[in-house]
Amino acid sequence: RARARLARLGAGHACDEARSFPPEVDALVRSVERRFEWMTRRDRDWLDWRFARGPSGLHRILLCRDPAGALAAYAVVQ
């Protein structure tokens, strides 16, 4: 589902697998956070701890960038 949703972001967006979350994920999380009355913040350190360094090794991080190279979305799939 996550891959399909990322694919619908629009023309020119590129989605690739990553080993960890980039620093700009914090700004993306904060921009989404402002749209909701209540949301738990999941910053880069937490996301890396939970998914990139998880002992199971089952998670895959997908990063989607817009045509200018800015981070537009992320997903974690198992």
Side-chain angles (χ1 to χ4, degrees):
R1 263 190 246 163
R3 287 177 198 264
R5 191 164 184 164
L6 286 174
R8 291 192 305 263
L9 281 175
H13 284 74
C15 300
D16 295 300
E17 192 169 329
R19 298 180 136 244
S20 64
F21 289 88
E24 64 262 37
V25 76
D26 288 335
L28 180 64
V29 168
R30 283 192 300 278
S31 73
V32 172
E33 194 175 66
R34 287 191 289 270
R35 297 186 336 218
F36 297 94
E37 191 172 313
W38 187 87
M39 181 176 161
T40 301
R41 180 174 289 181
R42 300 295 191 213
D43 65 8
R44 177 184 181 211
D45 290 336
W46 188 89
L47 291 167
D48 273 343
W49 168 80
R50 177 67 178 92
F51 301 113
R53 296 188 307 264
S56 71
L58 296 175
H59 297 100
R60 301 289 177 256
I61 300 165
L62 301 174
L63 302 177
C64 191
R65 296 185 178 279
D66 67 18
L71 184 64
Y74 73 84
V76 177
V77 295
Q78 183 174 346

